[in-house]
Amino acid sequence: MRSPRKVLIERIRSLYNADDTLADLGARVVVYRRGENGKPEKLRALPWVYGGKYDRSRGEYVGQSTNVKELRVHEGQLRLLELLDNPDAYRFLGLGSPGAGKTEAIITIAVILCLWHPNSIGGIVAPTHPRLKIVWKKFLKIVQAHGWVEPHGIHKAEGEIHLTNGTIVQFVSAKRQSEATGSPVAGLDWWWAVEDEQQNIDDESLLEVDARGRVNAGFKVFSSATNDGDHRFRMRLEEYRANPEKRVVTFTGYENCFTPLAHWERLKRNWGAKDYERRVMGRDVPEDGRIYPEFSYTDSVKPVPELGTDITQTVTHEHFGTAYKFVVGIDFGQMTSAAIVLRAYKAPGEGKSERLWYAVDEFTSRDKTTEWLIAEI
């Protein structure tokens, strides 16, 4: 006679279907370029397959995917994807024109990271709620079409999408409701993150995104941005290019083979030369009326002496009776005002001749009020 325990085990086994515990998530990147007829044509498929057969009961991949899906990219987007396993940097910025495929690039990267890191939590950040809806739809379009979304895994109220390999993707708008509420990004833990239209996200929110990587030593952030002329973003871009732990990849609108050439030619005919060069071609274009070189982290700034000591507060206290952290020189102009931020350093040795002044930042305005410039400083 069979024991009740054995009967129960057999009954459970009769209900158990091994196929129901397996989820097949596999993807390969396929690169396209513009053909002679102006339409996209397949160039090559990359050899790597991300994901595999995921066993829900074990919480891990147990084999290779037998249903590999295609993730389409153009050659400009590929340059950003190739940095996925870069060990030397943690922030990567894709700089391109509107319609160049910037958002599609970071969404594709988010999908790859989901497959690459099962049972993890990742973040997708946008500057505003309307923009967040766009990236939500683009991400969901890919994972839902391939059957990678867990049943009942779409949680709009919480801003989360749960995939069949245990990955959770959290969608967050960087825009604060008020100063009292703080950053919506704060308090979360992410294995990876992507940011859309980063030129519209403030510096404090970017710091919060950086802090989300405390659970993963290999934390990386991939961002998209339009080549905007805003001062804050120009300075951020210079800092990216000077920082060995950050990378900037630029691709033009023409590289997006999925967009008709006629679109870019129409913009060229109707946009001003400066807007076209900056926003479509991704080039650095100086502001109209500028008679001096634009501040550059790489060209304008020398490294602060390693053995030097910041003596700005000491010097300013001697001269003004108050210890200031910075000295700011301002030139108020009719069209453009400029401010240079200085700090003093004491190099090894004695005497005032060893005092060194360094320009550490610059602020410029055009057709804006003095109050705006002071607020920026």
Side-chain angles (χ1 to χ4, degrees):
M1 183 177 178
R2 293 178 301 168
S3 67
R5 177 176 177 275
K6 192 170 185 179
V7 172
L8 182 61
I9 291 175
E10 290 178 355
R11 187 171 298 172
I12 293 174
R13 283 177 176 170
S14 69
L15 297 173
Y16 175 80
N17 185 348
D19 292 337
D20 291 339
T21 70
L22 291 179
D24 196 335
L25 304 87
R28 175 185 281 115
V29 174
V30 180
V31 185
Y32 285 74
R33 67 179 175 186
R34 196 180 303 278
E36 294 182 358
N37 61 357
K39 297 182 179 180
E41 65 177 21
K42 186 180 294 186
L43 179 61
R44 67 184 185 278
L46 301 187
W48 309 283
V49 174
Y50 299 96
K53 286 190 175 180
Y54 180 82
D55 190 326
R56 291 185 177 92
S57 63
R58 296 171 58 178
E60 62 183 10
Y61 288 122
V62 294
Q64 296 182 350
S65 171
T66 56
N67 188 21
V68 179
K69 305 297 184 179
E70 176 182 304
L71 298 176
R72 302 195 315 169
V73 302
H74 60 67
E75 293 179 283
Q77 295 168 326
L78 177 63
R79 293 197 294 275
L80 188 62
L81 266 68
E82 287 175 333
L83 298 172
L84 270 167
D85 57 355
N86 184 300
D88 301 321
Y90 81 98
R91 268 194 170 274
F92 308 89
L93 179 64
L95 189 67
S97 67
K102 309 181 305 296
T103 300
E104 284 76 7
I106 64 165
I107 292 301
T108 299
I109 287 174
V111 171
I112 290 173
L113 291 169
C114 286
L115 302 182
W116 200 353
H117 301 289
N119 311 312
S120 65
I121 301 177
I124 295 181
V125 181
T128 61
H129 285 287
R131 191 67 203 178
L132 194 64
K133 292 180 181 179
I134 293 175
V135 294
W136 170 281
K137 291 178 180 178
K138 288 180 181 290
F139 179 84
L140 191 58
K141 181 180 179 181
I142 296 176
V143 296
Q144 200 167 39
H146 296 329
W148 296 341
V149 180
E150 187 72 22
H152 312 293
I154 300 175
H155 304 270
K156 288 186 177 181
E158 294 81 8
E160 295 183 355
I161 296 177
H162 297 210
L163 303 187
T164 53
N165 68 345
T167 298
I168 298 174
V169 183
Q170 297 177 330
F171 292 76
V172 183
S173 168
K175 185 176 179 61
R176 295 171 174 80
Q177 298 301 318
S178 68
E179 290 297 328
T181 58
S183 172
V185 182
L188 302 173
D189 293 323
W190 292 338
W191 272 70
W192 51 265
V194 300
E195 301 162 339
D196 187 44
E197 297 295 350
Q198 195 215 69
Q199 79 279 0
N200 296 325
I201 300 178
D202 62 87
D203 291 337
E204 187 175 345
S205 293
L206 298 188
L207 295 177
E208 286 288 354
V209 172
D210 284 352
R212 300 312 103 218
R214 56 194 173 192
V215 295
N216 178 19
F219 179 74
K220 296 182 184 299
V221 183
F222 285 82
S223 311
S224 72
T226 301
N227 199 15
D228 198 288
D230 177 74
H231 164 74
R232 291 181 181 179
F233 180 67
R234 305 307 303 171
M235 294 300 295
R236 183 186 301 168
L237 197 56
E238 286 292 336
E239 193 274 331
Y240 254 79
R241 288 169 173 159
N243 191 330
E245 294 190 49
K246 298 180 181 180
R247 299 286 188 275
V248 177
V249 175
T250 301
F251 46 92
T252 69
Y254 286 94
E255 289 185 279
N256 187 355
C257 58
F258 306 113
T259 302
L261 279 173
H263 170 72
W264 307 113
E265 294 301 321
R266 181 169 59 252
L267 296 184
K268 186 176 183 179
R269 292 193 303 269
N270 291 280
W271 281 10
K274 183 180 72 173
D275 289 333
Y276 175 80
E277 287 294 314
R278 170 175 286 157
R279 295 174 66 85
V280 176
M281 303 307 294
R283 294 169 182 156
D284 292 333
V285 181
E287 293 290 340
D288 292 339
R290 185 187 292 275
I291 60 174
Y292 56 90
E294 186 172 12
F295 180 87
S296 166
Y297 272 97
T298 52
D299 299 330
S300 305
V301 178
K302 295 180 180 179
V304 173
E306 292 185 4
L307 299 178
T309 302
D310 185 348
I311 57 172
T312 309
Q313 296 189 63
T314 301
V315 173
T316 53
H317 185 268
E318 291 177 356
H319 286 271
F320 308 111
T322 302
Y324 296 104
K325 292 183 178 180
F326 304 96
V327 173
V328 182
I330 304 180
D331 178 16
F332 295 103
Q334 292 184 346
M335 294 180 61
T336 301
S337 297
I340 304 296
V341 182
L342 303 171
R343 298 183 79 169
Y345 292 86
K346 181 70 162 54
E350 299 294 335
K352 293 184 179 180
S353 61
E354 299 299 328
R355 181 185 301 166
L356 303 174
W357 287 92
Y358 280 79
V360 296
D361 208 344
E362 177 194 69
F363 296 88
T364 58
S365 68
R366 177 173 173 79
D367 298 328
K368 294 184 179 179
T369 64
T370 302
E371 289 75 13
W372 179 92
L373 179 65
I374 300 302
E376 286 289 286
I377 296 173

